[in-house]
Amino acid sequence: MGIITSVITFKGKVGNMIAYERNGKTCLRTVPETVRQTANTRRSAKWFGAASRKGALIRSALAPDLDILCDGHAVNRLNSTIVTAGRNNHAALKGFRFNGHTGIEKFFPEMPVFSQDGKLHIPAQKLQGFGDAVRMEVKLIATRIDFTTRSVTGMDADVLHIDLEQPFTGADLTVNVPGKGTLLVTLQVRTFLKDGVSYDRRLNAAEIIAVEEVVTPEVVAPKSRPNKRQPHASLVTKPTINGQDPVPRE
């Protein structure tokens, strides 16, 4: 791997050379003459492509409501999370940070609690340590995605503004997104200075705090009722002993 240090740089393929960016530097490598793929590598490549498409769907679904700037590695980190989790393990998305530099715990010593009824409870606590910030915006974002049809089936959001110069007595946020698909609940926090929003990446966060699947209730077949009807009188057979009627006849 070579590194281009000249003023003029390029990206992409030129002849048998490929230029690409890595960690802010333009690197150079040659195109391999042959590429050997086994059955395992082909399966891995296919799964990585599927994971990349799922990651792109998640990002596009959240884009209308997400206000912070993601870090430069968010795409790769999200794809890696999906690949590592395996197929249809959406629960592994819980805890993913769109800004890898800061998590929600930075802002809340006592973490907010999200319940299945769509309510986020933020306990009363002392909020401090945000530099010159005077206000905090807390945004609860709920996005329901049907990964089978690759469609967004619903969205909802609730916003809370907290005055950091006043004691915080707790608050609740609520979202409601019924329907089919996987519900991703994201909590976003932004801080504001006196003259506007802070762009310090250490003071802005967005994290998936809950993942809920729609569970289809199992249909239980009704139990068959025993036949309580008595046999017809003409079908009743009298017991016999040695082929004769046990009751003597007169």
Side-chain angles (χ1 to χ4, degrees):
M1 179 187 71
I3 298 176
I4 300 177
T5 58
S6 62
V7 177
I8 301 176
T9 61
F10 69 95
K11 293 182 180 179
K13 182 180 178 182
V14 177
N16 67 336
M17 305 298 293
I18 298 177
Y20 60 98
E21 187 173 340
R22 183 177 182 182
N23 296 329
K25 297 181 180 180
T26 303
C27 304
L28 200 65
R29 64 179 175 85
T30 59
V31 178
E33 295 182 0
T34 58
V35 178
R36 297 180 180 179
Q37 280 193 327
T38 64
N40 288 335
T41 57
R42 283 193 292 269
R43 282 195 296 268
S44 298
K46 185 177 180 180
W47 167 227
F48 185 80
S52 298
R53 290 190 293 272
K54 180 176 286 189
L57 176 61
I58 293 173
R59 296 195 309 274
S60 63
L62 285 169
D65 284 315
L66 207 59
D67 304 310
I68 72 163
L69 296 175
C70 301
D71 65 77
H73 303 285
V75 173
N76 290 335
R77 288 192 298 103
L78 180 57
N79 292 345
S80 297
T81 299
I82 296 172
V83 169
T84 304
R87 299 181 185 275
N88 300 320
N89 182 17
H90 302 135
L93 293 169
K94 182 179 178 180
F96 178 80
R97 299 175 179 178
F98 291 93
N99 173 21
H101 302 283
T102 309
I104 299 300
E105 74 279 356
K106 164 79 174 180
F107 305 94
F108 299 105
E110 296 183 44
M111 290 291 288
V113 178
F114 183 77
S115 54
Q116 291 186 346
D117 59 356
K119 180 182 293 185
L120 180 79
H121 175 65
I122 308 176
Q125 55 194 289
K126 188 175 184 180
L127 305 177
Q128 61 181 5
F130 311 123
D132 297 328
V134 297
R135 181 166 59 91
M136 178 189 296
E137 178 193 78
V138 182
K139 189 175 186 181
L140 184 64
I141 306 169
T143 310
R144 192 174 292 280
I145 305 174
D146 187 344
F147 288 105
T148 303
T149 60
R150 296 184 55 79
S151 60
V152 179
T153 60
M155 301 172 65
D156 193 15
D158 197 4
V159 181
L160 169 69
H161 294 277
I162 302 174
D163 186 351
L164 295 176
E165 297 178 336
Q166 300 294 328
F168 177 63
T169 58
D172 292 326
L173 295 172
T174 305
V175 288
N176 182 27
V177 189
K180 181 181 179 181
T182 302
L183 182 67
L184 302 181
V185 182
T186 305
L187 187 60
Q188 175 186 274
V189 178
R190 293 196 299 169
T191 55
F192 287 76
L193 308 174
K194 291 182 178 180
D195 56 352
V197 64
S198 171
Y199 292 100
D200 189 341
R201 61 187 182 184
R202 298 169 300 177
L203 298 178
N204 295 281
E207 182 176 327
I208 297 177
I209 61 171
V211 179
E212 295 182 1
E213 302 280 4
V214 174
V215 179
T216 304
E218 182 180 357
V219 178
V220 180
K223 296 182 179 179
S224 58
R225 296 181 178 180
N227 189 0
K228 296 183 179 180
R229 293 186 302 173
Q230 297 297 326
H232 194 271
S234 61
L235 299 180
V236 176
T237 304
K238 296 181 179 181
T240 60
I241 298 178
N242 295 328
Q244 297 182 357
D245 192 334
V247 180
R249 297 180 180 178
E250 296 181 355

